[in-house]
Amino acid sequence: MFDIAPTEFMLVAFVALVVIGPKDLPKAMRVVGYWVGKARGVARQFRQGFDTMVREAELEEMEKRWAAENERIMREHPPAPPAALDDEAPAAPVSLDKPSDHHGATHPVHDDTSDRPVTVEKPHIVPAAPGTPAHTPDGAPS
């Protein structure tokens, strides 16, 4: 920070000792230390304020670039219109499994993504005995 050589520092210390005197030298050093600390605090505060202003300016610049890039992308690729919900063309259900026989046996189903067959198990459903309340799929009585 201050390029003070050891010989220069010893010269200043000797002059301070002669001018101020050995009795008042500790008090003078405390005062000098206090003001050096104050100066460092002001410099640190200035540097932090400057860094904050630079960071805010960079953020504003980045936000402007982001908005311009987003606008360009939206112009090049406009959003697709929402799909119409028509009753005229209902979507066909997709089934991956083959129907099971009346005993609930499993049948291999071929997956388009691999050569291995995928086995899908069908649960064996036992009808309720007469006089027993029927239950819905979530377990609640109907």
Side-chain angles (χ1 to χ4, degrees):
M1 189 161 120
F2 301 108
D3 287 332
I4 299 177
T7 54
E8 293 172 343
F9 183 73
M10 289 178 62
L11 179 65
V12 169
F14 180 74
V15 170
L17 183 63
V18 171
V19 172
I20 296 174
K23 185 177 177 184
D24 294 329
L25 190 59
K27 182 180 176 184
M29 294 300 284
R30 275 194 297 274
V31 171
V32 168
Y34 173 80
W35 285 107
V36 167
K38 283 275 197 184
R40 284 184 178 176
V42 169
R44 182 176 43 251
Q45 201 172 23
F46 175 77
R47 187 172 38 243
Q48 285 176 347
F50 185 76
D51 289 344
T52 302
M53 288 189 317
V54 168
R55 205 173 311 119
E56 287 175 359
E58 287 176 351
L59 284 174
E60 287 177 15
E61 168 115 7
M62 287 175 65
E63 286 176 358
K64 287 178 184 177
R65 280 192 279 156
W66 177 80
E69 184 68 14
N70 189 31
E71 186 177 324
R72 182 189 65 79
I73 291 171
M74 293 304 285
R75 268 185 281 129
E76 289 178 6
H77 308 284
L85 300 175
D86 294 340
D87 290 334
E88 298 171 9
V94 177
S95 176
L96 292 178
D97 56 344
K98 293 181 181 178
S100 64
D101 58 8
H102 63 281
H103 298 293
T106 61
H107 299 283
V109 177
H110 290 285
D111 186 8
D112 292 339
T113 59
S114 70
D115 293 334
R116 298 182 307 142
V118 177
T119 303
V120 178
E121 287 193 27
K122 287 290 206 174
H124 183 69
I125 300 174
V126 178
T132 309
H135 292 281
T136 59
D138 63 353
S142 57

